Amino acid sequence: MDELMIHVERIVRPVRAFESRKLQMRRELLAHLQETLEDERRHHPGDEPAAIEEARRRLGDPGELTKQLQKTAPLLERLLMAKLPITRPAERAEVRAGRFLYGTNSRLTPWHASLLVLLAGPLAGLPCYTPQIVRDVLTHTGKPAHVMAFFVGVLVGLNVMILASYRLVFAAAEPGRLLWRPRVIGLAALVLGMQIAFQFFVAAAAADRLPTAGDLAASVTITVVLLVCSLLLSRGVARLRQPYEPWLSLEVAA
C-alpha cells in the first residue's frame, strides 16, 4: 500500500490546488491504481513487483497526470497556491521552523497550521493584560535604562510564552495521540506557571510591589479558560488532520 501511495503522492503533491481537492485526487487515483493492481495480479501470479510496475505503467506517465490534474483545479486555487521562486526555500524554512517553533516534524496543511497559530496567540498574550498591570505599565516612571530593561524583559517573556503556547497546541493537535499525555500536561503547566511568574515580574518592575490577589486570580482564570478552549480546539484540528496525515507524512523525492 505504501508503495502505491507514494506513487500517487508524487503525482498529486506538485498540483497547485487546495489540500481538500488534492485529497480527493489522491483517493481517486489510489482507488484506480488498486483496481488495476488487482487485475495485474491475475496476470502476474506470485510476482508482486511486476504486477505493481505494470499497474503503475497503466495508470500513466506521472508528469502528464500531474498536468491533467492541474487543469481540473479552478483558476482561483491555481493563483492562490502558485509556486513562486522562493517557494522551495520557504518550504525548507517551514520545516525547520516547525521543528524549532512548533516542536513537530509533521507536515500540516496551511489551513490547519494557521488555525493552530491563531490558537497560540491569545493563550500567550491575553492573560498578561489585567487592568492593574496595564495601569502600572502606563504610569511607570523611572530612569530610561530601567524602562528599556523593563520592556526588553516584557518582550523576552512574551516570546518565550508564545513559543511554549505554539508547542502546546501543536502537541495537542497530533492525530492519533492521547491528549492527556506527559508532554501536553507539562507544556500546559509551563504556560500557566509562566503567566503567574509574569505577573510578579511586571508588578515588581513597574510598580515595586507584589501582584494583588485580583491580578493573580484574573491571570489564572483567563489562562485556564484559554488552555481548555485551546486544547479542545486543537483536538478538533487533530481530527481534521487525520485524512491528510497518511499522505503528508510520506517521504516523496522531489
Side-chain angles (χ1 to χ4, degrees):
M1 174 66 78
D2 284 350
E3 190 172 350
L4 301 183
M5 291 178 66
I6 289 173
H7 185 67
V8 169
E9 187 64 12
R10 286 198 183 103
I11 296 169
V12 176
R13 189 170 288 185
V15 175
R16 303 188 307 276
F18 292 160
E19 286 296 334
S20 56
R21 188 178 302 278
K22 291 171 70 170
L23 180 61
Q24 183 180 357
M25 294 175 180
R26 292 175 176 116
R27 287 171 169 171
E28 291 176 355
L29 279 177
L30 181 61
H32 182 66
L33 190 56
Q34 288 174 324
E35 183 180 343
T36 306
L37 178 59
E38 288 301 318
D39 183 54
E40 288 300 325
R41 281 173 176 155
R42 290 192 289 270
H43 294 86
H44 300 83
D47 192 351
E48 186 71 5
I52 292 176
E53 183 61 30
E54 186 60 21
R56 290 167 56 181
R57 187 195 65 78
R58 285 176 56 183
L59 185 66
D61 178 70
E64 288 301 317
L65 288 170
T66 298
K67 293 178 182 178
Q68 293 173 18
L69 291 173
Q70 185 62 77
K71 293 177 181 178
T72 66
L75 177 61
L76 179 61
E77 292 186 24
R78 282 181 274 170
L79 292 175
L80 291 175
M81 306 303 292
K83 299 289 185 181
L84 302 174
I86 63 169
T87 298
R88 191 170 294 276
E91 288 176 347
R92 289 195 292 267
E94 181 185 3
V95 172
R96 289 193 292 269
R99 294 182 184 135
F100 174 71
L101 292 176
Y102 312 140
T104 179
N105 292 320
S106 301
R107 292 172 60 97
L108 283 83
T109 70
W111 172 240
H112 295 150
S114 298
L115 284 175
L116 293 174
V117 169
L118 289 174
L119 287 176
L123 180 60
L126 287 181
C128 306
Y129 301 109
T130 58
Q132 186 60 49
I133 291 294
V134 172
R135 283 195 293 272
D136 288 342
V137 172
L138 293 177
T139 59
H140 173 73
T141 57
K143 296 180 180 180
H146 179 78
V147 174
M148 185 178 297
F150 168 71
F151 282 106
V152 168
V154 170
L155 182 61
V156 171
L158 284 174
N159 277 283
V160 172
M161 284 189 284
I162 289 172
L163 181 62
S165 298
Y166 278 154
R167 289 175 174 256
L168 172 62
V169 297
F170 275 81
E174 291 181 9
R177 304 289 294 274
L178 293 175
L179 176 59
W180 303 115
R181 59 186 188 278
R183 175 175 169 78
V184 175
I185 295 173
L187 285 168
L190 177 62
V191 169
L192 180 59
M194 285 192 299
Q195 292 290 357
I196 295 172
F198 195 78
Q199 301 299 315
F200 282 89
F201 166 75
V202 175
D208 193 24
R209 65 172 177 84
L210 292 176
T212 65
D215 290 335
L216 294 176
S219 180
V220 169
T221 300
I222 296 172
T223 303
V224 170
V225 170
L226 287 174
L227 276 172
V228 172
C229 293
S230 297
L231 291 175
L232 291 177
L233 290 171
S234 295
R235 293 312 296 168
V237 173
R239 287 190 290 273
L240 293 174
R241 285 179 59 189
Q242 285 178 346
Y244 301 90
E245 187 70 14
W247 297 97
L248 296 180
S249 62
L250 294 173
E251 292 294 333
V252 177

